[in-house]
Amino acid sequence: MSGIHSPAVAPRRESARDWKWTPAEKAVARRAFHLALSRELEGTVREAKERAARITETSGLWELEAWLGEQRRRIDRDFDYRYSVLPHVFASLLCDGRLTEDDLLRLAPDKLDAIRHIARS
């Protein structure tokens, strides 16, 4: 042997992208995701109706259209149901108050802990 020792390798922390989701966890995730999305869409509809009711001039229509486009792009960006990014989506939704930890309780404890950690970061 050459006397050169390989450095100790720190154990690799599993990335959220590498998580394996059980069928039960997928069901919990899908339910929580759709609950948060439903809440978000209901709020957007409510606000759109309020904005529409205040329109008094034609220019208000185009302002409403622009606002709706912004909301759609934000919702499309914030609500991404790919399992590789779902932990980050859930963390963001928790931080914004659009999802509660109770909505995620049936996930495996390690996944829920990781989502909490991401939310605090």
Side-chain angles (χ1 to χ4, degrees):
M1 294 200 71
S2 65
I4 299 175
H5 300 284
S6 58
V9 177
R12 180 169 108 60
R13 231 183 135 158
E14 181 182 28
S15 165
R17 291 184 178 275
D18 299 328
W19 286 1
K20 303 298 181 229
W21 296 80
T22 67
E25 289 175 322
K26 287 180 179 182
V28 170
R30 172 80 53 196
R31 184 182 50 48
F33 181 87
H34 283 294
L35 179 62
L37 179 57
S38 173
R39 290 173 183 157
E40 187 70 23
L41 293 174
E42 287 170 9
T44 302
V45 167
R46 187 172 38 258
E47 186 169 347
K49 287 179 180 180
E50 291 169 2
R51 287 172 176 255
R54 292 191 305 262
I55 293 174
T56 58
E57 296 181 19
T58 307
S59 63
L61 289 173
W62 314 134
E63 291 169 9
L64 178 59
E65 177 191 33
W67 179 82
L68 285 168
E70 290 169 16
Q71 296 309 301
R72 181 176 186 149
R73 287 185 293 279
R74 182 186 56 77
I75 289 169
D76 286 346
R77 181 186 65 243
D78 292 352
F79 289 86
D80 185 346
Y81 195 80
R82 291 176 295 154
Y83 289 109
S84 61
V85 297
L86 201 52
H88 294 277
V89 170
F90 285 156
S92 176
L93 294 173
L94 282 172
C95 285
D96 294 344
R98 295 184 278 173
L99 200 60
T100 68
E101 286 189 25
D102 288 346
D103 298 325
L104 300 171
L105 279 182
R106 292 183 42 217
L107 290 179
D110 59 327
K111 286 184 177 73
L112 191 51
D113 287 344
I115 291 168
R116 285 181 189 126
H117 177 75
I118 295 167
R120 286 189 301 266
S121 301

